[in-house]
């Protein structure tokens, strides 16, 4: 074999050390692909494969259609997830505002009114001289307040049964006091009637006042649950804030991409989507802050157990704290409408460019 032949053979193959066998030549691009630092990061590459439709175009071809498809799917996905998260988080706060305004808070104030009226009735019945007309007025106020508490759906079947029992005991208490009035002052029968009436009212375990206070504690526990802003709500609104920032950044990046690639200064649909996102989120956030603040103020008012003469004023204050909560709760429907509109704006903003590349002749 000549030297030239050996040189040409050595140029085509190499010998593995220790074996003498030939090693297949590596393509020129393999060494370039093996270089790790030049590869794209795995997470963006995976995200692009999940969001993009079809196969990625070859490296030497145009990637505009692929990048448009990636951005379109990213905007639609973020809009859908944001709509769902915002709806659930918004309902988590505003869903309890209407029951608090129409049921829980009025029931607590009605129980307070009944307790105050019964205290005044007891003072009228045992006073010297007793005031029967005032006693009957206070008993009527107490019975009416208990009826209001029952009408406000104070709780489950056990609570409703407790309200009915209290109403019956109030009737029995009033009957005992009325039986005592015709008897002469200081008589044994009069004292017996009044003593039995007092035990019906103030017995520690089964008296009217004890039952009403237990019922009030149950209602305050319901108020606490309704006005609580717990960890799940904090997590939900934190996720919503992050999604708003992510969607806003995606809209800005897409606008810059279109401006750079197509020399279009503005995309009206994307700008409208950004304006809708910003104004909608700020409005819903303010609604939530106002509603939660009103609910917290109502809870503090009810926890303070306003004195008897101040109960009507406390009712007016609670009504003012919870005013307009029904209107703000109805805004949850607009979250869904706004989410659909946001997705429609993102779709129409990119659809023209995607169609241009889809039907471009080769």
């Amino acid at each position: 074999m000549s030297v030239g032949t050996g040189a040409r053979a050595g140029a085509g193959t190499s010998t593995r050390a220790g074996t003498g066998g030939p090693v297949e030549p590596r393509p020129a691009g393999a060494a370039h692909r093996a270089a790790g630092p030049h590869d794209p990061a795995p997470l963006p590459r995976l995200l692009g494969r999940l969001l993009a439709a079809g196969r990625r175009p070859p490296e030497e071809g145009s990637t505009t259609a692929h990048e448009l498809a990636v951005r379109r799917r990213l905007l639609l996905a973020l809009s859908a997830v944001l709509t769902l998260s915002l709806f659930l988080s918004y309902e988590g706060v505003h869903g309890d505002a209407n029951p608090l305004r129409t049921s829980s808070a009025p029931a607590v104030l009605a129980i307070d009114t009944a307790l105050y009226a019964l205290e005044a009735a007891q003072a009228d019945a045992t006073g010297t001289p007793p005031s029967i007309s005032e006693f009957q007025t206070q008993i009527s106020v107490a019975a009416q307040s208990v009826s209001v508490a029952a009408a406000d759906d104070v709780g489950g079947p056990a609570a409703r049964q407790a309200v009915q029992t209290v109403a019956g005991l109030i009737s029995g208490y009033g009957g005992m006091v009325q039986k005592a009035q015709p008897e002469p002052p200081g008589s044994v029968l009069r004292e017996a009637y009044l003593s039995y009436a007092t035990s019906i009212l103030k017995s520690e375990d089964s008296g009217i006042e004890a039952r009403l206070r237990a019922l009030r504690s149950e209602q305050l526990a319901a108020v606490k649950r309704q006005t609580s802003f717990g960890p799940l709500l904090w997590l939900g609104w934190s996720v919503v804030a992050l999604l708003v920032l992510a969607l806003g950044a995606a809209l800005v990046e897409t606008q810059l991409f279109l401006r750079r690639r197509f020399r279009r200064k503005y995309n009206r649909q994307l700008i409208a989507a950004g304006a809708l996102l910003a104004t909608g989120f700020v409005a819903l956030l303010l609604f939530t802050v106002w509603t939660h603040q009103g609910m917290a103020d109502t809870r503090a008012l009810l926890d303070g157990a306003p004195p008897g003469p101040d109960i009507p004023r406390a009712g007016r204050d609670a009504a003012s704290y919870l005013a307009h909560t029904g209107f703000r709760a109805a805004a949850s429907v607009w979250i869904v409408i706004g989410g659909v509109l946001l997705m429609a704006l993102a779709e129409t903003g990119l659809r023209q460019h995607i169609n241009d590349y889809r039907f471009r002749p080769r």
Side-chain angles (χ1 to χ4, degrees):
M1 178 183 296
S2 65
V3 177
T5 304
R8 286 192 300 271
T13 61
S14 60
T15 304
R16 188 183 304 271
T19 63
V23 177
E24 293 295 330
R26 297 178 64 187
H32 177 73
R33 289 195 300 269
H38 296 285
D39 284 350
L43 185 58
R45 186 170 66 248
L46 177 61
L47 183 62
R49 289 179 179 178
L50 290 175
L51 294 177
R55 300 180 61 183
R56 186 181 179 91
E59 295 296 333
E60 63 274 7
S62 174
T63 63
T64 301
H66 173 79
E67 292 176 355
L68 286 172
V70 169
R71 284 165 174 81
R72 170 180 170 271
R73 281 160 177 76
L74 179 61
L75 292 178
L76 294 179
L78 286 175
S79 299
V81 175
L82 173 60
T83 301
L84 178 61
S85 302
L86 184 56
F87 180 83
L88 294 177
S89 301
Y90 192 82
E91 275 292 305
V93 176
H94 295 262
D96 290 325
N98 191 58
L100 176 65
R101 178 177 61 87
T102 60
S103 177
S104 302
V108 172
L109 293 173
I111 293 171
D112 288 339
T113 302
L115 286 169
Y116 177 67
L118 289 171
E119 286 288 342
Q122 178 69 3
D124 293 332
T126 58
T128 305
S131 177
I132 299 302
S133 61
E134 288 296 326
F135 171 82
Q136 292 176 347
T137 300
Q138 297 298 336
I139 286 296
S140 298
V141 171
Q144 184 178 3
S145 299
V146 171
S147 299
V148 170
D152 286 326
D153 192 13
V154 295
R160 288 190 289 271
Q161 180 63 38
V163 170
Q164 295 174 2
T165 301
V166 168
L169 289 175
I170 290 176
S171 178
Y173 168 74
M176 287 295 105
V177 172
Q178 288 178 354
K179 287 181 179 180
Q181 298 310 314
E183 303 298 328
S187 65
V188 176
L189 191 57
R190 176 187 174 87
E191 294 299 325
Y193 282 138
L194 290 179
S195 176
Y196 186 66
T198 302
S199 66
I200 293 176
L201 179 64
K202 294 185 175 295
S203 177
E204 293 183 1
D205 297 330
S206 57
I208 297 174
E209 291 183 348
R211 293 174 185 270
L212 285 177
R213 290 192 178 96
L215 195 60
R216 188 181 192 277
S217 298
E218 293 178 5
Q219 281 302 105
L220 284 180
V223 169
K224 182 178 180 180
R225 290 193 300 270
Q226 290 168 343
T227 58
S228 176
F229 200 93
L232 287 179
L233 283 177
W234 280 111
L235 176 62
W237 279 99
S238 299
V239 170
V240 167
L242 291 177
L243 288 173
V244 169
L245 292 176
L247 182 55
L251 287 171
V252 171
E253 194 278 335
T254 304
Q255 172 65 54
L256 295 177
F257 169 79
L258 295 179
R259 183 176 180 178
R260 181 177 62 253
R261 189 62 58 93
F262 298 99
R263 300 294 189 268
R264 293 189 60 179
K265 192 171 184 181
Y266 300 112
N267 185 292
R268 289 176 296 178
Q269 290 86 351
L270 295 184
I271 292 176
L276 175 63
L277 175 67
T279 56
F281 176 69
V282 170
L284 294 173
L285 183 61
L286 288 177
F287 283 178
T288 301
V289 170
W290 293 338
T291 296
H292 179 67
Q293 185 61 51
M295 296 170 72
D297 291 341
T298 302
R299 174 182 172 181
L301 177 68
L302 298 177
D303 284 339
D310 292 336
I311 292 176
R313 183 171 61 84
R316 292 191 295 270
D317 291 342
S320 66
Y321 293 153
L322 299 175
H324 310 299
T325 53
F327 168 77
R328 293 196 287 265
S332 59
V333 178
W334 290 99
I335 295 177
V336 179
I337 298 175
V340 173
L341 182 58
L342 196 62
M343 296 173 70
L345 289 172
E347 172 70 19
T348 56
L350 295 177
R351 174 53 55 187
Q352 177 182 356
H353 301 293
I354 292 176
N355 289 340
D356 289 342
Y357 271 84
R358 177 178 299 175
F359 298 108
R360 175 173 294 183
R362 297 184 177 182

